[in-house]
Amino acid sequence: MNRRSLLFSAGAATLAACASVPRARGFALAPEIDAAVDRAMTALAVAPGLSIAVYSRDGVYARGFGVTDVDTGERATADTAFYIASSTKPLTALALATLAHRGELDLDQTLAAYAADANFPEAVRPGEVKLRDLLTHTHGIENDAIVHRTAFSGQHDPQTLWRLLASCEANEEHGLGAFEYTNVGYNIATILTDRRLGVRWQDLLARELFAPAGMTRATAIMSQAQNAGWSVAKPHRSALAGGPRRLYLEKTDQTMQSAGGVIISANDAARWLELMIEDGRVGGRQIIPAEVVQSTRAPLAQVGAEFEGYQRDTYGLGWYAGPHRDERLYHHFGGFAGFRAHVSYIPARGIGVAAFVNDSSAAFPLPDAVANYIYDRTAGRDDADARLDAAIEAMVRARDEGIQRVEADRANRASREWTLTRPRAAYAGAYENDRFGRIEVSAEGETLNVRFGVLRSVAEPFTRPDSIRVELVPYSGSVMLFAGDGDTPEALLFQNERFTRM
């Protein structure tokens, strides 16, 4: 039996027993939350680590469960930092709203007025789109290259991102004033503010939020955590035969971006929730003006959608709002390969929950299930346990189905034959696209390796002529086609983009 099997053979009861000492102030329901998490992780059996923070006026709860890494067995604690992906957006929006309150920024200024030297195409209406629109996903702008470079490949610098503003396109389906959730608005906002203010968005978050609130395990700079030796949760895939597996793809400074680029511990997440619930106060100190925090909850965009059982009526500055049973819930979730985050709060009841898991498959719904249980239990609802049990049963079914799908897909791929028409070495080389960057292909015997910035994959056969399948993002397959009739390909086609051989 290998180390991973040994670690998980006893199920998640072992992991729950590894819960860290909480930062609690008389939170009466702490034992019940512990028992609920124990029940969920034992039944699911494959969740690597879970971080939970609760802030309420009746007490504070912050704990880590399970492990940060199935290969090392390091225990997750309330100080372990988890990547929160798109739950970053409320932090970025709050920092910029704080600057606007001080007069250092005008969120109602147009792109053309704020950045006259930016070469935005007229088609995206820079004279009408406001900075606020960028933060509310109502800007009507598309730019997949900026999103890909900042969140995935890491192939960017300030000059490149500034140049790529010229490649923005108008969103034909969701124009100015219509809501469409993407990363690009936040990315563009901080490209502009970084240049205009002379301060990186990462440093703005540290200066305006993390340091004043006493958050010592929160950062938008991954190397800061690594150099200081922080406990940082590693990404995993859990719905696999044999148990959870570490993913190679980890966030770096280059892929921590303003729409999804923060790691934070349970202890610090509790402070964040306190900041929001108490309208800018942490520990009785006014960190941010109350009206600034309140402004982030204002309904600025109509959404009218549902996600994972949560109704989303409106969007403000980084927060969705909608009814949760009979209460008004503000929330923002996040997901990336190996991580899932849930951050939410109910101002009227003075309670908020943050839950993070270092998995993006079987345990994807776990943060929501835990948060729902805490809201139900603290509201005194009689069906809290029944609802949790139903969520656990659904996760277990989905886990088993997910494992079967992965195994079936793996068997199907193993039966494919190569369709490449040239020797492997003929495909090796660098392929470039002015907008998206450089893809490098190398040959080692009969093996083709593909790199796209920090992304990498070993190529597999695909069914189309001169094609390969890659998993640059783990367990998310993509197809690459080689074009040209010569001894070597003249181009590589990937996601509807042409990369020319150099």
Side-chain angles (χ1 to χ4, degrees):
M1 186 176 288
N2 61 28
R3 181 181 181 86
R4 183 178 291 108
S5 299
L6 284 169
L7 182 61
F8 284 89
S9 61
T14 302
L15 302 183
C18 297
S20 68
V21 176
R23 181 178 81 92
R25 295 197 306 267
F27 195 78
L29 293 179
E32 294 186 32
I33 296 175
D34 290 347
V37 173
D38 182 16
R39 191 159 84 247
M41 294 187 75
T42 298
L44 193 57
V46 294
L50 178 67
S51 178
I52 303 172
V54 181
Y55 173 81
S56 79
R57 291 169 186 144
D58 296 325
V60 178
Y61 176 100
R63 284 194 177 177
F65 296 82
V67 297
T68 69
D69 184 341
V70 297
D71 291 335
T72 66
E74 178 194 4
R75 294 180 178 182
T77 76
D79 279 327
T80 296
F82 280 69
Y83 175 61
I84 65 171
S86 286
S87 295
T88 296
K89 290 182 177 73
L91 292 165
T92 302
L94 180 59
L96 295 181
T98 302
L99 296 184
H101 180 78
R102 293 204 301 261
E104 299 175 26
L105 190 65
D106 181 0
L107 293 180
D108 291 316
Q109 197 168 18
T110 66
L111 304 187
Y114 186 73
D117 53 338
N119 193 21
F120 285 107
E122 283 303 314
V124 304
R125 301 162 70 178
E128 299 175 61
V129 177
K130 300 175 182 177
L131 295 178
R132 191 183 306 276
D133 299 324
L134 299 176
L135 304 181
T136 59
H137 307 290
T138 56
H139 44 76
I141 298 174
E142 294 181 333
N143 196 314
D144 292 342
I146 286 177
V147 171
H148 182 82
R149 285 178 183 260
T150 55
F152 292 96
S153 74
Q155 292 182 332
H156 65 87
D157 54 34
Q159 293 73 32
T160 298
L161 295 179
W162 189 259
R163 173 179 63 81
L164 287 173
L165 293 176
S167 68
C168 288
E169 299 175 342
N171 186 327
E172 298 298 334
E173 294 185 11
H174 300 87
L176 177 59
F179 180 90
E180 184 181 39
Y181 181 83
T182 68
N183 278 355
V184 70
Y186 280 71
N187 293 156
I188 292 174
T190 52
I191 291 171
L192 300 182
T193 57
D194 282 6
R195 185 180 179 101
R196 177 73 175 266
L197 301 173
V199 181
R200 299 183 307 165
W201 70 269
Q202 299 95 322
D203 299 320
L204 280 180
L205 264 57
R207 187 187 77 190
E208 301 295 334
L209 305 179
F210 302 152
M215 299 181 189
T216 60
R217 291 293 184 274
T219 185
I221 305 171
M222 187 61 76
S223 61
Q224 175 186 346
Q226 294 166 339
N227 294 339
W230 292 8
S231 171
V232 178
K234 304 299 183 183
H236 295 77
R237 170 87 179 195
S238 66
L240 299 169
R245 187 171 304 160
R246 269 281 307 273
L247 302 184
Y248 90 86
L249 183 59
E250 295 187 43
K251 282 292 177 175
T252 70
D253 288 353
Q254 284 296 101
T255 56
M256 295 279 275
Q257 38 83 33
S258 59
V262 162
I263 59 173
I264 191 170
S265 69
N267 276 330
D268 284 350
R271 292 181 175 89
W272 178 16
L273 293 169
E274 181 178 0
L275 180 74
M276 301 310 299
I277 291 167
E278 303 300 345
D279 286 344
R281 294 188 303 277
V282 177
R285 295 187 304 115
Q286 195 73 43
I287 303 300
I288 293 173
E291 54 267 39
V292 175
V293 174
Q294 293 163 3
S295 74
T296 65
R297 297 194 286 264
L300 301 177
Q302 296 299 312
V303 179
E306 182 269 342
F307 180 81
E308 297 293 317
Y310 294 88
Q311 182 62 34
R312 294 172 164 177
D313 292 343
T314 61
Y315 193 88
L317 290 177
W319 295 103
Y320 287 101
H324 181 66
R325 304 197 80 171
D326 59 352
E327 301 179 293
R328 191 73 171 169
L329 181 79
Y330 294 83
H331 67 277
H332 208 300
F333 305 152
F336 194 76
F339 290 100
R340 173 77 202 295
H342 172 122
V343 183
S344 63
Y345 69 108
I346 301 173
R349 188 147 58 92
I351 186 170
V353 180
F356 317 128
V357 66
N358 54 339
D359 173 49
S360 56
S361 53
F364 183 92
L366 183 58
D368 300 335
V370 170
N372 289 341
Y373 173 80
I374 292 169
Y375 285 129
D376 288 345
R377 189 64 190 84
T378 54
R381 296 189 175 100
D382 294 336
D383 61 350
D385 286 288
R387 278 165 46 87
L388 177 62
D389 289 341
I392 292 171
E393 291 176 8
M395 281 188 282
V396 171
R397 287 195 302 271
R399 175 202 64 194
D400 295 341
E401 293 168 0
I403 291 172
Q404 291 176 2
R405 283 195 302 272
V406 169
E407 291 303 304
D409 181 59
R410 181 175 294 162
N412 177 59
R413 299 196 325 259
S415 68
R416 292 174 181 163
E417 296 184 358
W418 289 97
T419 62
L420 298 178
T421 59
R422 307 173 179 88
R424 299 292 190 272
Y427 297 91
Y431 301 78
E432 290 197 359
N433 178 287
D434 185 60
R435 294 176 62 228
F436 282 83
R438 171 185 288 235
I439 295 175
E440 296 177 333
V441 179
S442 61
E444 296 180 13
E446 292 300 295
T447 300
L448 283 181
N449 298 301
V450 179
R451 282 189 173 272
F452 196 170
V454 302
L455 305 173
R456 68 174 189 267
S457 178
V458 176
E460 297 179 359
F462 193 64
T463 56
R464 297 178 62 178
D466 255 346
S467 68
I468 57 175
R469 178 187 183 275
V470 294
E471 284 188 4
L472 297 171
V473 176
Y475 299 94
S476 179
S478 300
V479 177
M480 291 183 171
L481 301 174
F482 294 96
D485 299 324
D487 292 337
T488 59
E490 65 184 37
L492 183 157
L493 307 179
F494 178 59
Q495 295 184 345
N496 298 318
E497 295 289 336
R498 182 182 181 88
F499 292 74
T500 303
R501 186 185 181 98
M502 303 308 292

